Amino acid sequence: MATILVADDSAVIRAVLRHHLEEEGYHVEVAVDGPGTIEMMRRHQPDMVLLDIVMPGLDGREVLSRVKAEEALQDTPIVFLTSRTGSDEIVAALRAGAQDYLKKPFEPPELLARVGAAVRTKRLQDALRERSAELDQISRTDALTGVFNRRHLDEELRRFVSLAERHKQTVGVVMFDIDHFKRINDTFGHEGGDAVLKELTRRVQSVVRTEDLLGRWGPSVVGRWGGEEFLLVLPQTDIEGARVVGERARSAVAAAPFTIGDRRVDITVSGGCAAGTESAAVLIHKADAALYGAKKAGRNRLVMATAPP
């Protein structure tokens, strides 16, 4: 059921509009002045608003201007109610972002037609926005493992670095690589390799606690950097914090064999961690160099960029 906000200072007009709209099956909320209209829009998020141009407190055009400045409200269709017939005022309202207008006195069929058109517009906008959000999510997600992909990891790391520079804090990164992954693919085929990637993702996510994932700047990010490489991006985290989270994840991977088909296979990862306020590229380079050090030192271990391998 669509919600319609009727904003008019006339009790008679409000009653007439409510009667016709509720008969048509709409849910109706009302406001009696400009500030109240904005507050009711914030509270109820209506599908459309019937807004009188002449209102106490703030007139209809001022309400429209303020609504268009609020991201959560700016796409709500607004149909102006007016007893004035001057085309200049109507044109100005439409140019300011009004969806439509309805002249008083109005005929019920015209009222319902204009309201129906506005509600359909809102629903189409909502569907388009949801679809765009879905496509954006898909473009940032690794199709195999379901975690974020390199594009999203890179964007989030750059954002966290910018915040860290501004607030004089640090960002931690942990890079993992599955040990002897080529051997897994050669032995079990790509299907077996895919099973390992998915189970590794599950284990890493299961041991990164809620407190590690949440921060004032947003959640930490777990993602697949590419191939058999994974990256953890940890805002407001120093090198020791990155080491703790990375070691917890490494241990979880090695804790129990992986099931591949009818076989159980020991899987390990090598990792490198770094932290600081350097650019995203520098932090990645440091973590990658530490990862290489872990490989050279015998694998199945985590090396900090600030310490010798």
Side-chain angles (χ1 to χ4, degrees):
M1 179 190 299
T3 295
I4 313 299
L5 175 59
V6 173
D8 198 298
D9 61 338
S10 167
V12 173
I13 295 294
R14 292 197 305 271
V16 171
L17 289 169
R18 180 191 285 275
H19 169 74
H20 290 301
L21 293 170
E22 289 182 342
E23 263 202 344
E24 193 68 12
Y26 294 113
H27 174 73
V28 178
E29 297 289 343
V30 297
V32 300
D33 57 26
T37 299
I38 297 172
E39 177 57 31
M40 292 293 283
M41 289 183 69
R42 291 171 180 158
R43 186 185 308 170
H44 296 286
Q45 298 288 312
D47 293 282
M48 63 88 59
V49 180
L50 286 167
L51 177 61
D52 189 14
I53 288 184
V54 181
M55 292 273 283
L58 298 170
D59 69 24
R61 285 162 299 192
E62 290 174 310
V63 171
L64 177 63
S65 176
R66 297 194 185 193
V67 165
K68 291 300 179 184
E70 292 197 25
E71 185 176 356
L73 304 179
Q74 61 188 207
D75 291 330
T76 307
I78 292 179
V79 174
F80 271 134
L81 299 170
T82 179
S83 57
R84 302 176 183 177
T85 57
S87 61
D88 290 346
E89 184 177 71
I90 292 171
V91 169
L94 294 174
R95 284 179 174 171
Q99 166 83 19
D100 204 345
Y101 69 94
L102 184 65
K103 288 183 179 180
K104 304 175 187 176
F106 50 80
E107 293 295 327
E110 183 182 9
L111 163 69
L112 297 175
R114 293 185 188 276
V115 168
V119 169
R120 286 192 296 273
T121 296
K122 180 64 162 56
R123 287 178 172 168
L124 287 172
Q125 289 174 338
D126 290 346
L128 180 60
R129 189 178 299 107
E130 288 175 9
R131 183 56 178 159
S132 295
E134 289 172 2
L135 292 174
D136 183 66
Q137 182 70 12
I138 289 170
S139 74
R140 296 172 181 275
T141 303
D142 177 61
L144 176 65
T145 62
V147 292
F148 290 114
N149 61 18
R150 184 166 183 160
R151 172 194 170 191
H152 186 79
L153 289 166
D154 187 62
E155 289 182 4
E156 286 295 272
L157 179 54
R158 291 174 189 276
R159 182 173 72 86
F160 289 145
V161 165
S162 177
L163 287 166
E165 290 175 340
R166 191 180 316 155
H167 297 283
K168 299 187 181 345
Q169 297 193 33
T170 56
V171 176
V173 295
V174 183
M175 180 173 284
F176 288 114
D177 182 274
I178 301 176
D179 296 326
H180 303 299
F181 189 67
K182 183 177 184 303
R183 186 184 304 168
I184 296 169
N185 276 332
D186 290 345
T187 303
F188 300 99
H190 289 291
E191 185 175 337
D194 289 350
V196 168
L197 290 169
K198 288 189 279 190
E199 173 60 15
L200 182 142
T201 300
R202 187 194 67 77
R203 294 190 187 190
V204 170
Q205 288 184 305
S206 72
V207 299
V208 179
R209 296 192 304 255
T210 301
E211 55 263 39
D212 298 320
L213 288 172
L214 296 176
R216 287 187 294 110
W217 300 347
S220 299
V221 185
V222 179
R224 186 180 178 191
W225 190 246
E228 65 270 27
E229 288 186 330
F230 290 79
L231 189 73
L232 310 182
V233 182
L234 311 169
Q236 298 169 274
T237 304
D238 59 16
I239 188 67
E240 177 59 21
R243 185 197 68 78
V244 169
V245 175
E247 182 59 31
R248 192 187 305 144
R250 184 206 63 77
S251 298
V253 173
F258 283 51
T259 300
I260 309 177
D262 58 355
R263 293 178 57 181
R264 290 171 63 77
V265 180
D266 289 325
I267 303 293
T268 62
V269 295
S270 300
C273 61
T277 57
E278 297 100 330
S279 70
V282 169
L283 287 174
I284 291 294
H285 176 75
K286 285 185 173 183
D288 191 49
L291 167 59
Y292 180 72
K295 293 280 189 183
K296 284 185 63 178
R299 296 182 169 84
N300 189 25
R301 66 195 65 211
L302 184 77
V303 170
M304 292 192 295
T306 55

